[in-house]
Amino acid sequence: MGLSALASFIVLLAAVRLNSWAVNAAPDVDSCPGYNAHNVKTNPFGTTLTADLTLAGKACNIYGTDVAKLKLEVVYETSTRIHVKITDPTNKRYEVPESVFPRPKASLGPGPSEIQFTYTTSPFTFTISRAITKEVLFTTGPKFPIIYEDQYLRVKTSLPPNANIYGLGEHTNPFRLPTTGNGTTLTLWSRDAYGVPAGTNLYGNHPVYFEHRKTGTHGVFLLNSNGMDIKVTEGSLEYNAIGGILDFYFLAGSTTSPIEVAKQYADVAGKPALMPYWGFGLHQCRFGYNNYVDVADVISNYSAAGIPLETMWTDIDYMDKRRIFTVDPHYFPLDRMREIVDHLHQNDQKFILMTDPAVAHTPNEDYGPYSRGKAAGVWLKTANGSDSLGLVWPGVTVYPDWFHPQIQNYWSGEFQRFYSPQTGLDIDGAWIDMNEPASFCNLPCTDPDKQATEQQLPPPRTLPPPPPDVHIFGPDDAKNRPFTVNAVNPNGFNPEDSPVNQLKKRDFGDPRYAINNAAGSLSSKTAFVDSVHANNLTEYDTHNIYGTMMSTATRTAMLSRRPSVRPLIITRSTFAGAGRDVGKWLGDNFSDWDHYKNSIAGMLGFASIYQVPMVGADICGFAGNTTEELCARWGTLGAFYPFMRNHNSDTSISQEFYRWEATTRAAKNALNIRYRLIDYLYTALHQQHVSGTPLLSPMFYLYPKDTNTFPIDLQFFFGPSILVSPVTDQGSTSVNAYIPSDTFYTWKTLTKQTKTGSTITFNDVAVDDILLHIKGGSVLPLRIFDTNTPMTTKDLRTKSFEYVIAPNSQQAATGTLFLDDGESLNSAWSINVQLNYRNGRLLVTSTAMGGNGWGQGGEVNVERVKVLGVAKQPRQINLDGKKVTPNKWSWDKNTQILIVQVGRNVGKSFEVDYA
């Protein structure tokens, strides 16, 4: 190309680019013609409707070519769910594969539907409304024409004023999405989102929202994995997707309980996996343990500090040249790492390692994971059939193609080989990261080898290796290698230095509608979107499901190692339905108060909306330097994450809980409470696994008529009964907590909260403490132990129970307890306990499955029952109809707590009553 021609082309390209930006800034989409409906047909039962849709006027072709003819399918799948699907009957368009997202089965019962689909034919519009009240829940309306083009789909609905919209993650916006001002734009396109910045697209994609009104709560789910912007403003919500089809599930929810819509979404996305009991213990990790001695000393120091450590994790530091399925022979030699794993297992503790998807591209080296994958042909391909290359921690990499017919054999084989109990590292769970998939290569990325050299990938070791024969786990070993006193990193910390944060604008073909991807181009910092899978699907369409497909493959690989053992897998990137296989951590946050606070909304989104309940943030923060105060506060808050892990960056100061006095106290106090409540939490997870009932709830789920609860995202319910109200301001010992108009009891004193229905300032909340209340109407199954918290969950399971009854204003309370062996896919035994209290009578109904062969955990007793708020001393107390002798019960006039010793096996039913 000549110089003048090149200049003319650049001018033309700039004009096109500027014109595209101008169109994106202010598109006149509402003037597009929309469609008319013809040939409308319904079945005799009125449960299905089909129609042909044709353009209602001249095509606007605003971001491409309008599709002239469409097909509409409407199915009333259940009494609370309507499925609306609009496709192109002429051209086969991409849809999320059934193998990735199994479709829910239609099972419409004999009763009428709770929601209704109505439509107009010219122009075609549709409305979803409550069948009885006719309240409109979703409507395209005549002012919002549907646009259906090759690479642009648009649907817009009206919203009521000040709408309460939740979901559409993953993001770090407030839990209730802002609608005023410029509203909120949610972009769904997986990216390596270092620092989880607010207002940008992050690691995962969940195109579902719940809308809450005083008249009820409903849900809308768009099953589409293409990139999209969803714009929520005052009065409207608008989808703008760059591919796929329109595939909506409308959920009626309930007029009384928001929890119902969460359960209905679980029926669509799938119920979440039941995690192992030990997964609720404390996990410790950091990116930056330099060698095997560091890892061993952290384990020893936790033990010496008396802080229960359940699971030790190791980040990519252990790898040889940052290559997955390897250990560095000098820094993390296999025999010494196996010694660490053996020590953990001998002490009833667990071990987890990081596994990334990207495999080092080493055609000229003897690196088995690459050569075996190359031989099987399982790498993602370029359009010309060569392996698609990226740039990740080991340097130039290839990416597994999760659609390849041999990929599961390959992935399971690598897990069985490297994580072999006999010859490798016998992990107990899996941690998968960088699975957006991430790449550090700056576009156009024509020479990844050169960029690998420029970015020093893999990063060189900066410290000498330890001697290979350092003694570890002796009584004085850690003492002789004292941990350092925390100080500010002398080199400082600049997130711009991280390769994962080096962003460049796109120079590789974008669609004309450019979603608001914070990384710029769709191919920026990820696998090229024109990469091709074995089934001819492209990353343009499947990018957002890459992480979830890795999750499924990893769960299968873990089960291939231990077919009967329930795996704990934690991932970074998720799509709708990911909770069926994995848990999730909230990514690379910062050690600051904003991220501490934002973690609550993020956790609520995954646990209470997206059906990924095993969720938590990096406690004390990942990047930057934490402080003693922040880490102590975060430790107490983190005890109420379902997934509790302390984790930070290699460029940050150390932050294990034993590093400061306040964090040590905070961890001990918080874990004491958490361990007493673990069975309560495990029961809540089991309930979500069975029914979709969230184990965490925003306050409005339990108080749907109280408008004060609608925006609250700094308080939440842990399980159905514990209200958590953390201190959220630096330097403060006070909490301004909203206490709904109901009966509540303070956790520390078990006495009634005297004032409710307002925001109350609670003072003197120490830095190692957290404000908790028990909701009236609850029966809590709590473990009993002395001031020394059990050091492992295995030990915890030997401790007896007490049932704490917190009656409501009607003197009633209920609770449940679920026990099984805590680790098997199909436990040989289980115990379901129903706890019902009313007017001085507790009925405990235990249903034991599996006979008398209960394992550890089913052989413990219920030692006592505590009843709160008993205003008068009882005259007589009966246990199973027999009078309890005075030395077996007590009542405190000041605290109004009645304690009755019962001594019954947890698997046996019994009854306590008093008068």
Side-chain angles (χ1 to χ4, degrees):
M1 180 182 291
L3 183 60
S4 60
L6 177 61
S8 298
F9 174 76
I10 291 173
V11 170
L12 176 61
L13 179 63
V16 170
R17 178 68 59 84
L18 288 172
N19 181 62
S20 174
W21 288 346
V23 170
N24 280 340
D28 190 17
V29 292
D30 287 338
S31 65
C32 287
Y35 291 82
N36 290 330
H38 309 277
N39 195 27
V40 180
K41 296 179 181 179
T42 59
N43 70 354
F45 306 101
T47 57
T48 64
L49 178 150
T50 61
D52 299 323
L53 306 180
T54 58
L55 276 173
K58 181 180 179 182
C60 65
N61 298 333
I62 198 160
Y63 293 120
T65 302
D66 288 353
V67 178
K69 296 180 180 180
L70 301 172
K71 186 71 176 181
L72 169 69
E73 299 175 83
V74 180
V75 180
Y76 285 72
E77 292 192 339
T78 72
S79 62
T80 58
R81 184 173 78 232
I82 295 177
H83 186 192
V84 177
K85 188 173 181 180
I86 302 177
T87 58
D88 180 350
T90 305
N91 299 295
K92 178 67 174 177
R93 294 172 66 102
Y94 167 77
E95 302 180 29
V96 178
E98 283 259 6
S99 61
V100 178
F101 192 95
R103 304 307 194 261
K105 304 300 182 184
S107 56
L108 186 64
S113 175
E114 296 180 20
I115 50 176
Q116 192 172 37
F117 174 91
T118 57
Y119 64 94
T120 63
T121 58
S122 184
F124 169 71
T125 68
F126 73 89
T127 297
I128 305 293
S129 57
R130 294 206 182 276
I132 296 177
T133 65
K134 306 304 180 186
E135 180 183 14
V136 172
L137 307 180
F138 187 101
T139 181
T140 60
K143 295 181 180 180
F144 304 145
I146 293 173
I147 301 174
Y148 208 112
E149 297 178 346
D150 294 337
Q151 291 182 279
Y152 179 67
L153 305 175
R154 184 258 201 172
V155 173
K156 189 174 183 179
T157 180
S158 298
L159 293 178
N162 302 311
N164 301 299
I165 304 293
Y166 309 87
L168 301 174
E170 179 181 3
H171 56 73
T172 48
N173 295 292
F175 186 57
R176 183 179 69 172
L177 296 172
T179 59
T180 58
N182 294 326
T184 305
T185 296
L186 294 313
T187 299
L188 303 189
W189 185 257
S190 296
R191 75 180 185 98
D192 183 354
Y194 179 81
V196 290
T200 69
N201 52 309
L202 303 182
Y203 309 101
N205 308 277
H206 297 268
V208 57
Y209 74 85
F210 296 171
E211 184 190 345
H212 177 65
R213 307 174 186 178
K214 293 184 73 173
T215 55
T217 314
H218 65 277
V220 179
F221 171 51
L222 173 59
L223 179 52
N224 182 305
S225 69
N226 287 82
M228 68 179 76
D229 289 333
I230 305 172
K231 301 176 181 179
V232 184
T233 60
E234 183 64 30
S236 69
L237 184 149
E238 179 181 85
Y239 298 89
N240 299 269
I242 58 173
I245 65 169
L246 296 176
D247 197 359
F248 283 100
Y249 290 87
F250 296 98
L251 309 174
S254 168
T255 58
T256 57
S257 173
I259 290 173
E260 291 303 310
V261 74
K263 294 165 66 175
Q264 291 164 20
Y265 179 63
D267 289 336
V268 176
K271 308 294 197 308
L274 184 61
M275 299 294 174
Y277 186 95
W278 61 262
F280 289 119
L282 170 64
H283 304 264
Q284 175 62 49
C285 185
R286 83 163 295 176
F287 177 24
Y289 291 135
N290 293 305
N291 51 59
Y292 74 95
V293 181
D294 281 359
V295 175
D297 282 355
V298 168
I299 297 167
S300 297
N301 285 327
Y302 264 100
S303 177
I307 302 172
L309 174 64
E310 186 73 14
T311 308
M312 188 67 202
W313 296 49
T314 308
D315 209 312
I316 58 176
D317 310 279
Y318 76 90
M319 300 177 185
D320 184 21
K321 301 176 185 176
R322 300 292 169 93
R323 298 174 181 179
I324 63 172
F325 305 125
T326 68
V327 291
D328 189 300
H330 304 293
Y331 292 81
F332 295 86
L334 181 61
D335 61 332
R336 303 314 308 269
M337 291 300 293
R338 283 178 56 82
E339 185 180 347
I340 289 173
V341 176
D342 288 344
H343 173 85
L344 289 167
H345 289 168
Q346 289 162 9
N347 288 276
D348 300 322
Q349 295 169 291
K350 308 297 182 183
F351 185 60
I352 290 178
L353 287 179
M354 166 83 79
T355 305
D356 290 339
V359 177
H361 179 248
T362 57
N364 300 316
E365 298 182 42
D366 183 19
Y367 171 47
Y370 170 76
S371 59
R372 286 187 289 269
K374 179 67 174 178
V378 297
W379 308 135
L380 196 62
K381 305 297 183 184
T382 66
N384 65 14
S386 62
D387 293 338
S388 182
L389 303 181
L391 191 65
V392 196
W393 290 114
V396 181
T397 59
V398 288
Y399 296 100
D401 174 6
W402 305 114
F403 284 108
H404 194 282
Q406 294 301 316
I407 190 61
Q408 191 62 63
N409 288 339
Y410 165 77
W411 198 243
S412 293
E414 297 304 316
F415 266 67
Q416 290 173 352
R417 183 178 292 105
F418 182 65
Y419 296 125
S420 165
Q422 290 76 35
T423 59
L425 296 179
D426 188 14
I427 56 173
D428 298 284
W431 177 22
I432 52 179
D433 187 20
M434 308 295 287
N435 53 349
E436 292 70 34
S439 175
F440 303 151
C441 203
N442 297 312
L443 295 178
C445 194
T446 54
D447 191 347
D449 288 288
K450 179 181 179 183
Q451 289 200 37
T453 301
E454 294 170 345
Q455 296 189 35
Q456 291 189 301
L457 294 172
R461 301 276 185 180
T462 58
L463 296 174
D469 57 352
V470 174
H471 194 272
I472 56 177
F473 300 128
D476 296 319
D477 288 337
K479 183 178 180 181
N480 293 331
R481 295 186 293 272
F483 54 82
T484 58
V485 176
N486 278 324
V488 175
N489 181 1
N491 297 320
F493 178 78
N494 181 4
E496 296 299 323
D497 293 338
S498 171
V500 301
N501 205 44
Q502 296 169 4
L503 305 179
K504 277 194 174 182
K505 290 295 181 182
R506 166 183 186 71
D507 59 6
F508 181 83
D510 274 323
R512 286 174 57 186
Y513 179 86
I515 61 172
N516 193 31
N517 178 22
S521 160
L522 295 180
S523 291
S524 180
K525 301 303 180 182
T526 189
F528 289 110
V529 295
D530 63 349
S531 299
V532 182
H533 292 274
N535 57 0
N536 291 321
L537 295 179
T538 64
E539 272 293 289
Y540 179 89
D541 294 312
T542 64
H543 170 83
N544 282 347
I545 59 176
Y546 191 93
T548 287
M549 294 191 72
M550 182 186 182
S551 297
T552 302
T554 301
R555 180 177 176 86
T556 302
M558 288 293 288
L559 289 173
S560 73
R561 296 177 63 247
R562 296 174 174 171
S564 63
V565 178
R566 203 182 305 166
L568 172 69
I569 302 168
I570 300 297
T571 186
R572 190 167 78 174
S573 182
T574 57
F575 183 71
R580 296 188 303 263
D581 296 319
V582 295
K584 151 80 179 173
W585 100 99
L586 295 177
D588 296 340
N589 59 2
F590 278 88
S591 297
D592 60 40
W593 290 87
D594 284 341
H595 284 83
Y596 164 83
K597 290 183 282 191
N598 289 346
S599 71
I600 300 173
M603 175 179 62
L604 285 175
F606 276 91
S608 68
I609 296 179
Y610 311 138
Q611 291 292 334
V612 187
M614 196 66 170
V615 60
D618 281 347
I619 296 171
C620 303
F622 175 76
N625 293 325
T626 192
T627 66
E628 182 174 7
E629 178 195 8
L630 175 60
C631 197
R633 288 288 185 210
W634 216 325
T636 62
L637 172 61
F640 297 91
Y641 296 160
F643 172 59
M644 182 184 184
R645 184 183 68 169
N646 184 327
H647 178 229
N648 69 319
S649 170
D650 62 335
T651 53
S652 307
I653 59 174
S654 298
Q655 62 185 37
E656 293 85 4
F657 285 130
Y658 55 76
R659 297 277 172 180
W660 294 278
E661 290 184 5
T663 57
T664 299
R665 293 196 312 271
K668 287 184 175 181
N669 292 345
L671 284 165
N672 182 280
I673 298 171
R674 181 180 176 93
Y675 274 37
R676 291 183 66 198
L677 285 164
I678 275 188
D679 294 273
Y680 160 85
L681 177 61
Y682 185 73
T683 300
L685 176 63
H686 179 260
Q687 186 62 42
Q688 189 159 4
H689 168 69
V690 171
S691 70
T693 301
L695 84 162
L696 298 181
S697 294
M699 292 183 71
F700 82 86
Y701 272 26
L702 275 63
Y703 296 93
K705 304 297 183 183
D706 185 347
T707 57
N708 293 314
T709 66
F710 298 176
I712 292 177
D713 59 7
L714 294 179
Q715 298 173 259
F716 60 96
F717 278 94
F718 181 75
S721 307
I722 304 294
L723 177 60
V724 182
S725 306
V727 172
T728 55
D729 294 318
Q730 183 177 6
S732 177
T733 57
S734 298
V735 182
N736 294 319
Y738 181 73
I739 308 297
S741 182
D742 201 349
T743 303
F744 282 89
Y745 301 81
T746 60
W747 172 265
K748 293 184 73 171
T749 65
L750 299 181
T751 55
K752 278 188 183 180
Q753 175 66 46
T754 57
K755 185 180 180 183
T756 62
S758 61
T759 298
I760 305 170
T761 299
F762 295 88
N763 296 311
D764 302 321
V765 182
V767 72
D768 56 7
D769 199 4
I770 191 167
L771 181 66
L772 305 173
H773 287 88
I774 304 171
K775 184 180 183 296
S778 307
V779 183
L780 300 178
L782 305 180
R783 293 282 184 172
I784 302 173
F785 41 83
D786 57 22
T787 55
N788 294 320
T789 306
M791 293 298 286
T792 65
T793 59
K794 184 175 182 180
D795 186 19
L796 174 67
R797 288 172 65 87
T798 67
K799 307 303 179 183
S800 297
F801 282 97
E802 65 177 356
Y803 295 153
V804 177
I805 303 168
N808 60 20
S809 58
Q810 288 78 45
Q811 286 301 301
T814 61
T816 60
L817 172 63
F818 174 79
L819 295 170
D820 64 1
D821 70 14
E823 62 181 12
S824 299
L825 276 179
N826 298 292
S827 178
W829 63 271
S830 65
I831 301 172
N832 283 279
V833 184
Q834 299 297 316
L835 304 157
N836 292 282
Y837 172 87
R838 179 173 290 275
N839 295 324
R841 177 175 179 262
L842 173 67
L843 180 62
V844 177
T845 305
S846 292
T847 305
M849 304 295 292
N852 295 323
W854 304 330
Q856 185 185 42
E859 298 172 343
V860 299
N861 284 346
V862 180
E863 293 295 342
R864 62 187 180 229
V865 169
K866 284 184 180 177
V867 188
L868 312 184
V870 180
K872 295 181 181 180
Q873 180 173 340
R875 298 188 306 274
Q876 180 173 320
I877 298 174
N878 300 309
L879 174 60
D880 290 334
K882 297 180 180 180
K883 184 178 179 180
V884 177
T885 59
N887 66 324
K888 294 291 186 179
W889 66 273
S890 64
W891 173 77
D892 189 300
K893 179 179 179 180
N894 295 321
T895 62
Q896 298 189 345
I897 297 174
L898 171 67
I899 301 177
V900 183
Q901 304 297 324
V902 295
R904 292 289 192 268
N905 183 276
V906 71
K908 303 297 183 181
S909 302
F910 65 90
E911 180 180 337
V912 174
D913 65 88
Y914 64 90

